[in-house]
Amino acid sequence: MAPVEFTVTGGEGSPLDHVAVVTPSSSLVVITDPGGWAQVSQAAPVGSAVVPTRVRPLRFAVLDLRHFPSPSGLPSIADVPGDLVAVHDTRSWDSSPVIGSLRGLGRPVVLFTAAHTWVSGLDPSTVLLGWSAPHVVIGVPRGRGEGRVEDVVWQFQELERRHVVTYTALPSPPVVEDRPVTVVVALPGATEGIAGALRPGAEYEVWVRVGTHPAPLPGDLELRAVLCLNGRAVQSESFVLPADGASPWVSFPVTTPYASVPWSGELVIYRGAVPVHVQQVVLPVGGGESRTRLRFRLSRTFADLVPLSSRTGSVLVLGERALVASGREPHWVSLDAVAGLPPVSGLDPWYGKGFPAFCEDLAAFAVRGAALHGRLFVEGVMIPRGGVITVVGSTRVPWAHVYDLPFVEGPYRLCASVSRFGPFGAGGEVPSRCPEPDHSGNVLCPFGFWGFSSVLEQPEGPLAWQVSAAERQVEVTLAVDPGLDRVLTQRHVAELLSFLPPESISSAYVSPSELSRALEDERSDVVHLVYDEGVLEAVEVEWPHRPLVVTTSPAANLVGEFVNRAGAAGVLCPEVVVDQGMTGWVSGMLLARLAGGMPAGEALRRTRWEMMSRGNVLGLAYALHANADLRLR
């Protein structure tokens, strides 16, 4: 078979990004990309994998020919799920007949092979992909024959030297359509809405409906609409969003103020106890037009909200007040003059304290936490323990240290759980509820804190439920500020390596100004940022996948940038400055649990208990700005 000539172009991105572009129109892609094969491959010679790219997720059926001594030993791949077939070539026998038969299955074949290997059966429906830094090389045969990737790379370099090479841009990823939530104002008993200004002191109806979306829901979804207009009582109404189509209209009667002013409030759509969609509503009393503005959402399509029905309560923060839902009608509470966490100092070299000093820290947290709980929940109402509590909206409140037992400064009684699970205690598996029945009086019990008794989630945007579907080892990228203490940094890395296998971690010193560039092409599951307080800035990246960001310094002001702009699945960070020497220990415990398959919320809760067993209460200073059920795998 004679060699073929190629039409050669270049492109930016990764080779797998361009695989997503050229398939399925090309039935064969010949590629030399060890990093791409590492993403695709599985421990077994036959399997399936999903790889995120900038263009779209690639779903592969994987076949490693190196594990089979001859074609006769190959298993059938017809039943292995995947839109494409990823094949790793072998030097032991001629694989061209196998590649030809796989192309006949109707799924594009992506052949991973060496750059110098001759590949036969090329035609204009095939593509060769190579790498000539910093560009991906794309070669399309002009006829039928055989060719090598290295020939395509050499041709590209010659064209580049003569400044006649052309470049192919990656297409923009498809835009996910949002499911609309419509608000209409109507006269009482009318069948159509009205436009324009509303009369002062007049009666109207506010209609609300969740609209249609091209993607159907898994099933009918029970929701609740809550209307909170300034100066009026909270109104709520349950409704059902059908699996296919729009919801029925929900109507709220309102009486406008007597003053001619824009009248505003919030419309909140709840799934169970969780606010999943919040938008501001402005009604034009006396002049103007009605308008709405999206403030927050946990889903763009409402298709991934079914698991939220298990949440036991929520707090929706809107400025200096919050809307609390805990099994009955939501009610407003004030969040003004909220105190922060008490200072903690004097930790020993093992990041802990002795029993008396630990009790002092725990009691200081309980005093402030009990005062906060008293403002949140009136008339004895409280969120049940043991479930997941959702906090939505920017806030200065350290929610993990909310304490739901009465507690004031002065003499107090220790619950037996303090001795059991605190420093030098018997320890053991932590039950879902405090095993001690008596909590009367001024009692100090770790189960009184939200952070110990429940799982807390503080999502910032649309929920992610899983970072990657690939059945491979979790990958962690560690970016370290070179300005930090090198000895403590080395100790941090050593702490991480005591929890995670060395091959799962890649690390580099990166100054804050260079961080965006360093993270631009990052594809790991966890991005661990080790930086001092106040030096982290918003990163100018857009990840094609959704990694979890873990920081060692407070980053609540950057959560929105990481999640809603860069595309991260969430951020896990402390809410106060944490000693640099302790961050490796805490991060290691968290990442080990996440890598083991534990959901993020439970991983953080168990890490808090493990810290407490050393006499360290600062686990209550960590917050999860993500879905509590988020898993790396």
Side-chain angles (χ1 to χ4, degrees):
M1 188 173 289
V4 296
E5 294 183 354
F6 297 92
T7 300
V8 177
T9 59
E12 294 185 350
S14 72
L16 289 183
D17 291 334
H18 289 274
V19 169
V21 173
V22 302
T23 57
S25 58
S26 296
S27 61
L28 173 63
V29 179
V30 181
I31 181 172
T32 57
D33 182 21
W37 177 253
Q39 289 182 273
V40 172
S41 63
Q42 306 294 307
V46 181
S48 59
V50 179
V51 179
T53 70
R54 295 185 184 183
V55 181
R56 60 185 172 92
L58 293 176
R59 295 172 173 83
F60 289 104
V62 184
L63 177 61
D64 193 341
L65 300 182
R66 297 172 296 177
H67 290 265
F68 302 95
S70 67
S72 61
L74 291 175
S76 172
I77 201 169
D79 297 329
V80 180
D83 303 324
L84 301 86
V85 180
V87 180
H88 198 293
D89 206 355
T90 178
R91 298 180 181 180
S92 302
W93 41 271
D94 182 15
S95 60
S96 55
V98 174
I99 302 303
S101 63
L102 288 174
R103 294 177 69 179
L105 294 176
R107 292 185 287 182
V109 176
V110 182
L111 176 63
F112 290 83
T113 189
H116 59 271
T117 301
W118 286 96
V119 179
S120 59
L122 303 182
D123 55 51
S125 67
T126 63
V127 175
L128 274 66
L129 292 179
W131 180 259
S132 179
H135 297 106
V136 175
V137 180
I138 307 160
V140 179
R142 297 177 183 173
R144 295 179 177 274
E146 61 180 358
R148 300 178 299 183
V149 173
E150 69 177 6
D151 294 333
V152 175
V153 174
W154 178 86
Q155 185 176 339
F156 173 82
Q157 292 171 343
E158 281 295 302
L159 294 173
E160 195 176 37
R161 182 178 61 83
R162 290 162 20 202
H163 303 288
V164 294
V165 69
T166 58
Y167 296 94
T168 302
L170 290 172
S172 300
V175 178
V176 178
E177 294 186 34
D178 298 338
R179 186 182 288 270
V181 176
T182 306
V183 177
V184 174
V185 181
L187 293 170
T191 58
E192 294 183 357
I194 61 174
L198 308 181
R199 300 192 311 273
E203 294 184 353
Y204 293 91
E205 292 179 350
V206 176
W207 298 348
V208 177
R209 181 175 72 168
V210 179
T212 60
H213 193 271
L217 302 176
D220 293 351
L221 196 63
E222 296 183 3
L223 301 172
R224 175 177 291 270
V226 174
L227 183 65
C228 313
L229 291 172
N230 293 338
R232 300 291 188 270
V234 175
Q235 301 182 73
S236 69
E237 189 72 33
S238 298
F239 64 97
V240 174
L241 177 62
D244 193 0
S247 73
W249 287 99
V250 175
S251 177
F252 297 102
V254 299
T255 302
T256 58
Y258 288 97
S260 296
V261 294
W263 189 29
S264 64
E266 276 73 35
L267 168 70
V268 187
I269 304 296
Y270 279 86
R271 166 59 178 168
V274 180
V276 298
H277 181 99
V278 183
Q279 64 187 50
Q280 184 185 49
V281 177
V282 180
L283 303 182
V285 179
E289 296 285 339
S290 299
R291 63 183 187 272
T292 62
R293 178 177 66 90
L294 178 68
R295 298 193 63 168
F296 180 84
R297 63 184 170 196
L298 289 184
S299 176
R300 300 181 65 175
T301 66
F302 284 65
D304 52 355
L305 298 179
V306 174
L308 295 183
S309 60
S310 63
R311 275 38 176 179
T312 55
S314 69
V315 181
L316 171 59
V317 181
L318 297 167
E320 296 299 320
R321 59 179 186 164
L323 194 62
V324 177
S326 58
R328 64 173 193 174
E329 295 297 316
H331 64 277
W332 287 108
V333 298
S334 173
L335 291 180
D336 58 338
V338 172
L341 290 170
V344 175
S345 59
L347 296 175
D348 61 31
W350 297 274
Y351 320 119
K353 286 187 176 184
F355 191 77
F358 159 72
C359 291
E360 291 180 8
D361 288 344
L362 200 63
F365 273 66
V367 168
R368 298 193 186 188
L372 175 58
H373 188 269
R375 291 199 296 272
L376 288 175
F377 300 97
V378 296
E379 301 176 0
V381 177
M382 61 184 293
I383 294 178
R385 296 180 185 176
V388 180
I389 301 174
T390 306
V391 178
V392 170
S394 300
T395 174
R396 295 173 289 116
V397 176
W399 295 99
H401 99 293
V402 172
Y403 191 77
D404 63 15
L405 294 172
F407 197 84
V408 295
E409 290 190 38
Y412 58 83
R413 178 173 60 87
L414 285 178
C415 174
S417 292
V418 178
S419 301
R420 176 179 173 183
F421 298 109
F424 311 109
E429 184 176 353
V430 179
S432 58
R433 299 179 181 275
C434 181
E436 304 301 323
D438 183 13
H439 290 97
S440 59
N442 206 38
V443 61
L444 182 62
C445 175
F447 287 90
F449 292 96
W450 277 10
F452 287 128
S453 63
S454 301
V455 172
L456 279 168
E457 61 181 5
Q458 297 175 231
E460 185 67 23
L463 297 178
W465 299 89
Q466 189 166 306
V467 170
S468 173
E471 295 294 334
R472 57 172 172 79
Q473 183 172 267
V474 171
E475 296 178 355
V476 178
T477 291
L478 180 67
V480 182
D481 188 348
L484 291 177
D485 186 292
R486 293 295 179 100
V487 174
L488 292 178
T489 296
Q490 292 171 0
R491 184 187 302 173
H492 185 151
V493 175
E495 291 277 5
L496 286 178
L497 293 177
S498 67
F499 291 98
L500 297 172
E503 62 272 15
S504 68
I505 302 176
S506 61
S507 61
Y509 285 103
V510 183
S511 65
S513 61
E514 295 294 324
L515 187 58
S516 292
R517 182 179 302 176
L519 297 180
E520 186 175 8
D521 294 323
E522 189 52 60
R523 299 294 183 271
S524 61
D525 306 296
V526 177
V527 177
H528 185 28
L529 305 180
V530 183
Y531 289 83
D532 207 351
E533 178 191 14
V535 302
L536 275 178
E537 299 178 355
V539 294
E540 299 290 334
V541 300
E542 290 186 19
W543 285 305
H545 65 318
R546 302 195 68 183
L548 175 65
V549 178
V550 179
T551 73
T552 59
S553 59
N557 60 317
L558 299 177
V559 172
E561 296 287 339
F562 278 120
V563 174
N564 296 318
R565 183 171 182 175
V571 179
L572 207 163
C573 63
E575 298 186 292
V576 297
V577 179
V578 178
D579 178 73
Q580 184 186 347
M582 194 181 78
T583 55
W585 173 55
V586 178
S587 302
M589 289 188 292
L590 285 168
L591 294 178
R593 290 184 166 94
L594 290 168
M598 190 177 293
E602 182 63 19
L604 179 54
R605 191 184 76 90
R606 294 198 188 186
T607 298
R608 292 191 182 112
W609 280 101
E610 189 163 344
M611 294 173 70
M612 195 186 79
S613 69
R614 292 199 191 183
N616 189 326
V617 299
L618 285 177
L620 296 173
Y622 277 79
L624 173 66
H625 298 278
N627 170 23
D629 295 325
L630 174 67
R631 297 176 186 266
L632 298 185
R633 293 284 181 270

